[in-house]
Amino acid sequence: MAEQHWDRVVDVVVVGSGSGAIAAAITAAKGGAEVEVIEKAEQFGGTSAWSGGMPWMPMNSKMASVGVEDSRADALTYIRGLDCDRAPDQELVETFVDNAATALDYLEANSALNLVVAKSYSDYFADRPGGKPRGRSLEPVPLDANAVLGDFADKVRDTPHIPRLTQDEMAAEGARRNLPISHGDVPTDIMALLAEREANNIRTIGPAFMSGLIRGALDAGVALTNNTAADQLVVENGEVVGVIALNEGREVRIGARRGVVLGCGGFEWNSEKVRTYLGVPDTIALSPPTNVGDGLQMGLEVGADVANMTNAVAFPSVYDEKSELEGAPFASLTAPRNDPGVIIVNRQGERFVNEGVNYMDVAKVHRAYDPKTASYPNQGPAWMVFDQDVRDRNVVMDMFPGQPTPEWALEAPTIGELAVKMGVDPAVLEQQVERWNSHVDAGEDPDFNRGTIWWEGFQIEGPSPAKNMRHLKNGPFYAVKLYNGILGTVGGLRINSNAQVRASRGGLVNGLYAVGNTAAGIFGQTYPGGGGTLGPNLTFGYLAGKHLSAQPAREVGAAAVAQG
Ligand SMILES: Cc1cc2nc3c(=O)[nH]c(=O)nc-3n(C[C@H](O)[C@H](O)[C@H](O)COP(=O)(O)OP(=O)(O)OC[C@H]3O[C@@H](n4cnc5c(N)ncnc54)[C@H](O)[C@@H]3O)c2cc1C
């Protein structure tokens, strides 16, 4: 190899510090590799630490604790029944099913990750062949961040999206507020619990998930470097041998004897790439704004193949145009769009979807094309329309029951006046609300089958019109814009079963691995259950780390200066 100038040389450079990246880092380091993680942001953890912290892991060892059996055949039947033959690489689905449980056991044994079954979560299509009523979606037990991470606790992201509750506690709190949710023990005083967790830095969901994993990386001897953004891959003789990164404007060259892992998230904050690949103009990202597709870009530059580019994990979201975080627009997940008394209408004021379907499926309907009008009538933002009863039992973004209505929500004494404020034809909206109320009376929604799709009742042992439909009658009435939120893009670099990146001309990009949302999602256009991203992230991160630690150390040259 030609003489390279390196600032330092390690066995494995991992780019990014989300779930896929840290799983790869732990496994490679435990396998004997010298590993450095470089993270663009100040804090570690990425979207994974902002998330619900739930991985979806078929055949995992915890399913027995809730008396649910799983099998390879069930898991494959379930996934294949949903992907409608659109998963780009079927063998990766098998790799996932065959390795998820092992990856989980390994990562729990080698970190402070501690997961239990999220009892309030069934598979999202549990009524389909191979679906399970619970057990595949897991969540972390509350974690004492100060005890687990010590001084490093502040270096791991906390989430601005979700309070310090577990998924099951949130479901139980929903039940307390008379929503159609019934699992779990209702905490007696949720505010006291939150205050105690805040005071003692007890983390739940995503922050607990990533705090636990990052403890494992530290214990395995992984070097974690923040404020350092990979900018370019170094290729020599057709192999990726290192990265050039930027640290506060200074170039840092890091050689990688065994390989480079791109685990630097998706491209949801890159509006040009979103337009190019997703092909929709109306998205708003909910991840940290550092996810601008650097991994995709670097992969493309070295000849990587890509797959699943039109897909994203979407979540209908609300947004106050004045709300910012880390210098970027900050949208919120807290929207009661599937409350039984909410209808969603498009910009013409017409219902267009069963409001209770899972978050991914709402986005698919946003994209529907109407050949008659040669337009996309449901393009976002849409509107949630609801009455005072819904307002009284829900938090919408930061609007709590009993508080004055903020500027970003519209309020009016009648549906007709609300329609005028929304800019839609009052006659259309009045007719839609009347029609909805008549469906509630009849106990049937012939337009969009409300109360019949599993996810509408996935936390209440199945849906029914009685549980999922309520009148929209008691003014004043409200309308709030519902945006096409993106939790993370799904398209990315095509990988094989070791998470090695495939080349677009065939074969592999030697020395390069991709995990998490930098890699193409394996499920095609579907999302099998809560955790459909973090589950594969852990699994393919683990597989990348295993493969890397078995690679011989290549001669890539030494660092030009002594490493301190
Ligand atoms: C509110 C919310 C809740 C969610 N809940 C769930 C859930 O419960 N279950 C589930 O499966 N999914 C969930 N998701 C989706 C899921 O969290 C993300 O899709 C997933 O965490 C992405 O993981 P990742 O490893 O690909 O990257 P990330 O966790 O996003 O990490 C990528 C990291 O790479 C860094 N980076 C970017 N570019 C560079 C560069 N050039 N150099 C160095 N570092 C770089 C970023 O700063 C970031 O820290 C949720 C998402 C959100 C927003």
Side-chain angles (χ1 to χ4, degrees):
M1 293 218 172
E3 191 61 28
Q4 289 281 352
H5 163 84
W6 301 116
D7 291 294
R8 49 188 183 264
V9 177
V10 293
D11 288 328
V12 177
V13 178
V14 177
V15 179
S17 66
S19 45
I22 297 296
I26 292 172
T27 315
K30 293 302 282 186
E34 185 189 356
V35 181
E36 177 169 353
V37 166
I38 56 171
E39 165 56 54
K40 185 181 196 173
E42 171 86 28
Q43 287 180 300
F44 298 97
T47 321
S48 307
W50 275 17
S51 79
M54 249 191 316
W56 188 80
M57 312 291 271
M59 294 167 68
N60 73 70
S61 56
K62 292 150 203 296
M63 293 181 78
S65 71
V66 288
V68 176
E69 283 182 14
D70 201 358
S71 69
R72 183 176 200 269
D74 278 356
L76 288 175
T77 301
Y78 176 66
I79 297 167
R80 290 193 172 135
L82 293 173
D83 82 11
C84 304
D85 208 18
R86 291 179 185 213
D89 288 299
Q90 284 292 340
E91 81 269 17
L92 294 185
V93 173
E94 292 190 28
T95 303
F96 169 62
V97 168
D98 290 339
N99 290 282
T102 312
L104 176 62
D105 290 346
Y106 180 90
L107 291 167
E108 282 198 320
N110 289 287
S111 75
L113 183 68
N114 183 8
L115 302 178
V116 291
V117 168
K119 294 198 188 73
S120 51
Y121 270 72
S122 74
D123 285 349
Y124 284 178
F125 304 86
D127 54 345
R128 300 282 291 257
K132 298 293 169 190
R134 61 185 57 85
R136 288 174 175 160
S137 293
L138 306 170
E139 69 162 324
V141 298
L143 172 144
D144 181 336
N146 295 337
V148 169
L149 286 171
D151 290 345
F152 210 84
D154 289 346
K155 297 202 169 106
V156 178
R157 283 184 182 280
D158 202 346
T159 179
H161 283 296
I162 311 172
R164 289 176 188 245
L165 297 173
T166 66
Q167 294 288 350
D168 284 346
E169 286 164 353
M170 283 186 269
E173 176 62 4
R176 198 181 64 75
R177 286 186 287 120
N178 195 25
L179 293 179
I181 293 172
S182 71
H183 283 289
D185 302 321
V186 181
T188 45
D189 185 346
I190 211 89
M191 297 317 282
L193 183 68
L194 284 170
E196 187 241 306
R197 286 189 180 156
E198 187 71 39
N200 296 308
N201 205 4
I202 306 296
R203 294 180 178 170
T204 58
I205 53 165
F209 185 83
M210 285 313 299
S211 296
L213 277 177
I214 286 174
R215 177 71 265 164
L218 292 168
D219 289 345
V222 173
L224 289 149
T225 310
N226 63 350
N227 295 320
T228 303
D231 184 50
Q232 216 181 306
L233 296 167
V234 181
V235 178
E236 200 171 299
N237 299 331
E239 296 196 15
V240 173
V241 294
V243 300
I244 302 174
L246 295 171
N247 167 257
E248 289 165 7
R250 192 175 60 89
E251 194 176 279
V252 184
R253 301 174 67 97
I254 312 173
R257 294 181 207 100
R258 302 199 204 189
V260 172
V261 181
L262 296 175
C264 41
F267 57 88
E268 57 274 3
W269 279 100
N270 186 324
S271 53
E272 201 179 326
K273 280 190 166 43
V274 165
R275 225 173 217 284
T276 305
Y277 297 118
L278 295 186
V280 290
D282 60 334
T283 63
I284 184 159
L286 286 103
S287 59
T290 39
N291 281 1
V292 292
D294 292 345
L296 173 63
Q297 183 62 38
M298 287 185 277
L300 290 171
E301 284 166 4
V302 297
D305 200 4
V306 293
N308 223 350
M309 298 307 287
T310 58
N311 196 11
V313 178
F315 201 106
S317 302
V318 280
Y319 171 51
D320 169 7
E321 283 169 18
K322 295 198 184 105
S323 178
E324 265 193 21
L325 191 69
E326 299 185 14
F330 181 70
S332 165
L333 303 166
T334 311
R337 55 106 188 159
N338 50 346
D339 181 290
V342 173
I343 62 168
I344 302 178
V345 298
N346 61 19
R347 288 185 290 178
Q348 292 71 248
E350 291 165 343
R351 279 184 78 214
F352 62 94
V353 65
N354 176 329
E355 293 82 355
V357 296
N358 80 62
Y359 38 92
M360 283 285 279
D361 286 355
V362 177
K364 288 181 189 137
V365 184
H366 275 306
R367 290 178 174 209
Y369 177 72
D370 177 10
K372 189 162 170 236
T373 55
S375 70
Y376 298 89
N378 309 327
Q379 187 167 302
W383 293 97
M384 287 187 296
V385 175
F386 51 90
D387 70 2
Q388 187 63 38
D389 293 350
V390 171
R391 171 91 157 80
D392 287 343
R393 62 174 177 257
N394 284 286
V395 180
V396 188
M397 197 151 39
D398 54 2
M399 174 174 84
F400 283 77
Q403 287 182 346
T405 303
E407 266 175 34
W408 49 262
L410 303 180
E411 177 182 339
T414 65
I415 291 291
E417 287 163 280
L418 187 69
V420 172
K421 287 189 172 178
M422 293 160 65
V424 307
D425 182 343
V428 172
L429 191 64
E430 281 167 353
Q431 186 272 343
Q432 292 285 303
V433 171
E434 267 168 40
R435 190 170 167 80
W436 168 256
N437 285 331
S438 71
H439 294 340
V440 180
D441 289 336
E444 188 186 10
D445 171 20
D447 297 339
F448 297 101
N449 303 308
R450 193 86 181 261
T452 66
I453 295 175
W454 177 263
W455 201 80
E456 295 180 77
F458 83 102
Q459 295 184 311
I460 49 169
E461 309 291 343
S464 75
K467 287 184 275 191
N468 295 114
M469 297 173 70
R470 289 192 199 166
H471 290 106
L472 209 165
K473 273 194 173 149
N474 296 323
F477 299 96
Y478 300 88
V480 173
K481 276 188 182 162
L482 197 60
Y483 291 81
N484 192 3
I486 303 285
L487 304 185
T489 46
V490 169
L493 309 180
R494 233 180 122 207
I495 56 171
N496 69 8
S497 289
N498 299 315
Q500 293 169 283
V501 172
R502 293 175 194 257
S504 58
R505 292 179 69 110
L508 297 172
V509 179
N510 289 322
L512 188 64
Y513 298 71
V515 296
N517 291 351
T518 309
I522 61 168
F523 295 127
Q525 298 287 317
T526 194
Y527 203 70
T533 311
L534 296 182
N537 287 7
L538 291 185
T539 307
F540 285 95
Y542 162 81
L543 290 169
K546 275 265 170 243
H547 194 260
L548 273 158
S549 55
Q551 298 309 298
R554 297 169 299 177
E555 181 52 62
V556 296
V561 289
Q563 296 179 57

